[in-house]
Amino acid sequence: MKRILKYISAALVLTLSAACNQEAYEKGEFEDPDCYGVYFPRQSTATTIEIEPGGMLEARYVVRRTSILDEITVPVKITVSEEDIFFVEPIHFDAGEDETSFAINFPEAKNGVEYTLDIDIVDPKYVSIYGSRTTSLSISLLIANWKSLGMGKWRDDIVSSMYAPPHPNVEIEVEIFEREDLPGYLRMKPYTSDFINALFDVTMETENKWIYIDATNPEEVFIPHQGTGMTLSQEQGELIIASYSDDDFSIDASDCQYGTMVEKVITFPERGILCRLDKYMEADEWAYANVGGLQRIILPGGRVYDYSVKLVKHDPQDGKVDIDVSFGQDVSYVRYAVFEGTLSDGDVSLNAQSLDAGELSFADEVVSDSRAVSLSPTQGTGLYTLVACCYDANGSMQGYEGIHFGYIAAGEDLPLKLRAGLELTDEYTGKGMTSANSVRFYAYGEDIESIEYGLYKKSKIAGKDYGTLLDQSGTKMNKEDLEAVNNKHFSAMLSGLNGDSEYTLLLRAYNGYYSRILDVSVHTLGRFNPILETYEYSDFTDLQFSKNELTSTKWHLYATDLLDDDDNPHRKFIGEVTIQKDDYDDGAAIDYFGLTGFTRKKFDTGGKMLAMYLPDADSQYQGTLAPLAQQDAIGTINGEDIFIGYIPVEDIYNMYLGLGMFVGRVTEDCMYFVPAQSAIEQGYTFYYMYIGGSKTSIALYEDIIMVRADADPGLEDDPLPWEVATKSVKTLDFGISRRKTSLADVQSYVAGRRTGGIKNYAADVNKPTPVFGVADYKTVEK
């Protein structure tokens, strides 16, 4: 499986009435003990038969069985789109034969007509009721001439929506063919091994199937229901695709989501394409694809025009404001005008149209290349809006953009009116917030339009650029709090701090004209508790734990489990971990250790996490242990195989195998889990450790720390404020956000997921390896 985390609402699964029937046995029906176990294996002969006039009018397919003693002729149910087209040879096994073949002839098939044939083995005497093997064969036949239009391009937003690969929305070259008797009916082969490699950086073969696009009506382009020939996981099956249209689903014409073809470029509406995995999802369950609206096909001779325009403002200085104007390659020039006040989007649109129509006047300047425009409005100091219109080589307006800016005339001053501070208080000690673990944040000012803030360990941000820090991890103040600041009475508690530690609050405020960054610091009281601290790779000590130190004591594991029911999951005691020498041998002179006790749930069998002893690796990396996520289950819980994997912030939809984290000594008695430097160098920052099976999620850890059991200071003396905060106390989150996604996103992707088991593992454990899979989904009734 590739992905173990799931798309959120953008990829909800629909339950639709598809144009097919499905038979099922009732639960509880007994298997015939003498069943022959007949099934259709993977075929070397294509089931989508496409031949040119005069081609061979026969195809041969393979059938197998598990019980081989008797001579049998297999009864089948045949469904055809038209009578007297297909002639199916009987499926016959001689005694002792486990494989046979049969022929399908179609001498009466006409050119340009698509025929279908379904062969189903339904008799429980011949097929296993509860087996997973395929007992049906679906054939499609088309005799037609196709002509090559030449090389075009296919940009993906189907697989990218379903799996969120490391390199989404890749665009590849494909040769595009058109039916000679049906102009606009196209076919191409985008789902190749090169396509998968471009998306996932893995090598995997596909069936190299034709993909058909019906563009016979350029205003109603759709993808017919079809298989892609791409199977990333045998447990989940082939990826099936179809447009959300009444050609394949029982929906009203008004609900159809057709694509369009304009100037030989085909695009589709967001979520207008559906997909499913034929083994993982039921026949009437479909997931949204093209969630970003990026699926695109460019036919030979087609061209995508770039008429974009981008405006970036700078702070006013020396009586002028510079605005960077850049635009797409097909924009010939840009003209602009400046309006007083901050115009709404609607007013920007109306003014752009009026400027283009000549009802309003542009500035004299014409921008013919991307550069900065310097503005000094004659109306003087104030707030303004610049409206820019872009034009093609024929002088036709192709788009517009607007931007607000503040201007301060030369010789004038417009100070940013804001004061902010931090203060220690024991006012809320009864609610668990003390001067050792919390601080009051206050701010007041005038005419402040926006504020971003973050609270950081002072030692962690020394020498760093404050603006970059706030860009990466700042929290934007909401409208209600901003109003309180401008009304001169904002105050809130910043909670979850460590004792005897110095923190710095960074605050970036914008008054409509320019922004400024303020910084204030405070030193908390009480004692420092290493279990509450967050560490980095740079915090690893030079002297790491010896092998004897690892095995001679018990360890207490603390971690934040993002699958906890808490609104604000935080670090908690998970369990007592035992570390023992393991006999695992990777062929190198490296010792491995087994860690047990790292989940709250007990394992029925196994339950050992394997970890490399890093000092043995003779590498440039610092640390004590490197836990190894393998393709094999680490044990079972309630009879279910449980696996370990890593999830990077760059790609939270996917779980990876290999060495994803390093564990290193950070204090005399503590070890901390950080993203492996070797993986970071390859572009993967593994902050999350996932533990779970094909049906059950056990844990999703971050901020993992282990402390010697006999030196554990515990958390009882350090009540966490988020456990006791009430509506009467205003609290805010703080800190350096290392995740590139929100906590809610990560929890949503994991909650309630299902997977098919870990497969396709690469042997090189030093390289993070994607594991194909899809998680659970919500169902929407249609």
Side-chain angles (χ1 to χ4, degrees), residues 526-549:
R527 66 180 178 86
F528 176 81
N529 187 342
I531 298 177
L532 293 175
E533 195 67 8
T534 297
Y535 299 91
E536 299 174 358
Y537 179 74
S538 59
D539 295 316
F540 283 8
T541 61
D542 293 333
L543 180 63
Q544 291 296 305
F545 287 107
S546 68
K547 297 175 184 179
N548 181 62
E549 287 176 308

CSV table of all heavy atoms in Angstrom, one decimal, residues 526-549:
chain,number,residue,atom,x,y,z
A,526,GLY,N,9.8,28.6,38.9
A,526,GLY,CA,9.7,27.2,39.1
A,526,GLY,C,10.9,26.5,38.7
A,526,GLY,O,12.0,27.0,38.5
A,527,ARG,N,10.8,25.2,38.4
A,527,ARG,CA,11.9,24.3,38.0
A,527,ARG,C,11.7,23.9,36.5
A,527,ARG,O,10.6,23.7,36.0
A,527,ARG,CB,12.0,23.1,38.9
A,527,ARG,CG,10.9,22.1,38.8
A,527,ARG,CD,11.1,20.9,39.8
A,527,ARG,NE,9.9,20.0,39.7
A,527,ARG,CZ,9.8,19.0,38.8
A,527,ARG,NH1,10.7,18.9,37.9
A,527,ARG,NH2,8.8,18.2,38.9
A,528,PHE,N,12.8,23.6,35.9
A,528,PHE,CA,12.8,23.1,34.5
A,528,PHE,C,12.5,21.6,34.5
A,528,PHE,O,13.1,20.9,35.3
A,528,PHE,CB,14.2,23.4,33.9
A,528,PHE,CG,14.3,22.8,32.5
A,528,PHE,CD1,13.8,23.5,31.4
A,528,PHE,CD2,15.0,21.6,32.3
A,528,PHE,CE1,13.9,23.0,30.1
A,528,PHE,CE2,15.1,21.1,31.0
A,528,PHE,CZ,14.6,21.8,29.9
A,529,ASN,N,11.6,21.2,33.7
A,529,ASN,CA,11.3,19.8,33.6
A,529,ASN,C,11.6,19.3,32.2
A,529,ASN,O,11.0,19.7,31.2
A,529,ASN,CB,9.8,19.5,33.9
A,529,ASN,CG,9.5,18.0,33.9
A,529,ASN,OD1,10.2,17.2,33.5
A,529,ASN,ND2,8.3,17.7,34.6
A,530,PRO,N,12.6,18.4,32.0
A,530,PRO,CA,13.0,18.0,30.6
A,530,PRO,C,11.9,17.3,29.9
A,530,PRO,O,11.9,17.3,28.6
A,530,PRO,CB,14.2,17.1,30.9
A,530,PRO,CG,14.0,16.6,32.3
A,530,PRO,CD,13.4,17.8,33.0
A,531,ILE,N,10.9,16.7,30.6
A,531,ILE,CA,9.9,16.0,29.9
A,531,ILE,C,8.9,16.9,29.2
A,531,ILE,O,8.3,16.5,28.2
A,531,ILE,CB,9.1,15.1,30.9
A,531,ILE,CG1,10.0,14.1,31.6
A,531,ILE,CG2,7.9,14.4,30.3
A,531,ILE,CD1,9.4,13.2,32.6
A,532,LEU,N,8.9,18.2,29.6
A,532,LEU,CA,8.0,19.1,28.9
A,532,LEU,C,8.7,19.8,27.8
A,532,LEU,O,8.0,20.5,27.0
A,532,LEU,CB,7.6,20.2,29.9
A,532,LEU,CG,6.7,19.8,31.1
A,532,LEU,CD1,6.5,20.9,32.0
A,532,LEU,CD2,5.4,19.3,30.6
A,533,GLU,N,10.0,19.6,27.6
A,533,GLU,CA,10.7,20.3,26.6
A,533,GLU,C,10.7,19.7,25.2
A,533,GLU,O,10.4,18.5,25.0
A,533,GLU,CB,12.2,20.4,27.0
A,533,GLU,CG,13.0,21.4,26.3
A,533,GLU,CD,12.6,22.8,26.6
A,533,GLU,OE1,11.7,23.0,27.5
A,533,GLU,OE2,13.1,23.8,26.0
A,534,THR,N,10.8,20.5,24.2
A,534,THR,CA,10.9,20.0,22.8
A,534,THR,C,12.4,20.3,22.4
A,534,THR,O,12.9,21.3,22.5
A,534,THR,CB,10.0,20.8,21.9
A,534,THR,OG1,8.6,20.6,22.3
A,534,THR,CG2,10.2,20.4,20.4
A,535,TYR,N,13.0,19.2,21.8
A,535,TYR,CA,14.4,19.3,21.4
A,535,TYR,C,14.5,19.1,19.9
A,535,TYR,O,13.6,18.8,19.2
A,535,TYR,CB,15.2,18.1,22.1
A,535,TYR,CG,15.1,18.2,23.6
A,535,TYR,CD1,14.2,17.6,24.3
A,535,TYR,CD2,16.1,19.0,24.3
A,535,TYR,CE1,14.1,17.6,25.7
A,535,TYR,CE2,16.1,19.1,25.7
A,535,TYR,CZ,15.1,18.4,26.4
A,535,TYR,OH,15.0,18.5,27.8
A,536,GLU,N,15.8,19.4,19.4
A,536,GLU,CA,16.1,19.3,18.0
A,536,GLU,C,17.4,18.5,17.9
A,536,GLU,O,18.0,18.1,18.9
A,536,GLU,CB,16.3,20.7,17.4
A,536,GLU,CG,15.1,21.6,17.5
A,536,GLU,CD,15.4,23.0,17.0
A,536,GLU,OE1,16.6,23.3,16.7
A,536,GLU,OE2,14.5,23.8,16.9
A,537,TYR,N,17.7,18.1,16.7
A,537,TYR,CA,18.9,17.3,16.4
A,537,TYR,C,20.1,18.0,17.0
A,537,TYR,O,21.1,17.4,17.5
A,537,TYR,CB,19.0,17.0,14.9
A,537,TYR,CG,20.2,16.2,14.5
A,537,TYR,CD1,20.3,14.9,14.7
A,537,TYR,CD2,21.3,16.9,13.9
A,537,TYR,CE1,21.4,14.1,14.4
A,537,TYR,CE2,22.4,16.2,13.5
A,537,TYR,CZ,22.5,14.8,13.8
A,537,TYR,OH,23.6,14.1,13.4
A,538,SER,N,20.2,19.3,16.9
A,538,SER,CA,21.3,20.1,17.3
A,538,SER,C,21.5,20.0,18.9
A,538,SER,O,22.6,20.3,19.4
A,538,SER,CB,21.2,21.5,16.9
A,538,SER,OG,20.0,22.1,17.4
A,539,ASP,N,20.4,19.5,19.6
A,539,ASP,CA,20.5,19.4,21.0
A,539,ASP,C,21.1,18.1,21.5
A,539,ASP,O,21.4,17.9,22.7
A,539,ASP,CB,19.1,19.5,21.6
A,539,ASP,CG,18.5,20.9,21.4
A,539,ASP,OD1,19.3,21.9,21.6
A,539,ASP,OD2,17.3,21.0,21.1
A,540,PHE,N,21.4,17.2,20.5
A,540,PHE,CA,22.0,15.9,20.9
A,540,PHE,C,23.4,16.1,21.5
A,540,PHE,O,24.2,16.9,21.0
A,540,PHE,CB,22.2,15.0,19.7
A,540,PHE,CG,20.9,14.3,19.2
A,540,PHE,CD1,19.7,14.6,19.8
A,540,PHE,CD2,20.9,13.3,18.2
A,540,PHE,CE1,18.5,14.0,19.3
A,540,PHE,CE2,19.7,12.7,17.8
A,540,PHE,CZ,18.5,13.1,18.4
A,541,THR,N,23.7,15.5,22.6
A,541,THR,CA,24.9,15.6,23.3
A,541,THR,C,26.0,14.9,22.6
A,541,THR,O,25.8,13.9,21.8
A,541,THR,CB,24.8,15.2,24.8
A,541,THR,OG1,24.5,13.8,24.8
A,541,THR,CG2,23.8,15.9,25.5
A,542,ASP,N,27.3,15.2,22.8
A,542,ASP,CA,28.4,14.5,22.2
A,542,ASP,C,28.5,13.1,22.7
A,542,ASP,O,28.8,12.2,22.0
A,542,ASP,CB,29.7,15.3,22.4
A,542,ASP,CG,29.7,16.6,21.7
A,542,ASP,OD1,29.1,16.7,20.7
A,542,ASP,OD2,30.4,17.5,22.2
A,543,LEU,N,28.2,12.9,24.0
A,543,LEU,CA,28.3,11.6,24.6
A,543,LEU,C,26.9,11.0,24.6
A,543,LEU,O,26.0,11.4,25.4
A,543,LEU,CB,28.9,11.7,26.1
A,543,LEU,CG,29.0,10.4,26.8
A,543,LEU,CD1,30.0,9.5,26.1
A,543,LEU,CD2,29.4,10.6,28.3
A,544,GLN,N,26.8,9.9,23.8
A,544,GLN,CA,25.5,9.2,23.7
A,544,GLN,C,25.5,8.1,24.7
A,544,GLN,O,26.5,7.7,25.2
A,544,GLN,CB,25.3,8.7,22.3
A,544,GLN,CG,25.0,9.9,21.3
A,544,GLN,CD,23.8,10.7,21.5
A,544,GLN,OE1,22.7,10.1,21.6
A,544,GLN,NE2,23.9,12.0,21.7
A,545,PHE,N,24.3,7.5,24.8
A,545,PHE,CA,24.1,6.4,25.8
A,545,PHE,C,24.9,5.1,25.2
A,545,PHE,O,24.8,4.8,24.0
A,545,PHE,CB,22.7,6.0,26.0
A,545,PHE,CG,21.9,7.0,26.8
A,545,PHE,CD1,21.0,7.9,26.2
A,545,PHE,CD2,22.1,7.1,28.2
A,545,PHE,CE1,20.3,8.8,27.0
A,545,PHE,CE2,21.5,8.0,29.0
A,545,PHE,CZ,20.5,8.9,28.4
A,546,SER,N,25.5,4.4,26.1
A,546,SER,CA,26.2,3.2,25.7
A,546,SER,C,25.2,2.1,25.6
A,546,SER,O,24.0,2.2,26.1
A,546,SER,CB,27.3,2.8,26.8
A,546,SER,OG,26.6,2.4,28.0
A,547,LYS,N,25.6,0.9,25.1
A,547,LYS,CA,24.7,-0.2,24.9
A,547,LYS,C,24.3,-0.7,26.3
A,547,LYS,O,23.1,-1.1,26.5
A,547,LYS,CB,25.4,-1.3,24.1
A,547,LYS,CG,25.7,-0.9,22.7
A,547,LYS,CD,26.5,-2.0,22.0
A,547,LYS,CE,26.9,-1.5,20.6
A,547,LYS,NZ,27.7,-2.5,19.8
A,548,ASN,N,25.2,-0.7,27.2
A,548,ASN,CA,24.9,-1.2,28.6
A,548,ASN,C,23.9,-0.3,29.3
A,548,ASN,O,23.0,-0.7,30.0
A,548,ASN,CB,26.2,-1.3,29.4
A,548,ASN,CG,25.9,-1.8,30.8
A,548,ASN,OD1,25.4,-2.9,31.0
A,548,ASN,ND2,26.2,-1.0,31.8
A,549,GLU,N,24.1,1.1,29.1
A,549,GLU,CA,23.1,2.0,29.7
A,549,GLU,C,21.7,1.8,29.1
A,549,GLU,O,20.7,2.0,29.8
A,549,GLU,CB,23.6,3.4,29.4
A,549,GLU,CG,24.8,3.8,30.2
A,549,GLU,CD,25.3,5.2,29.9
A,549,GLU,OE1,25.5,5.5,28.7
A,549,GLU,OE2,25.4,6.1,30.8
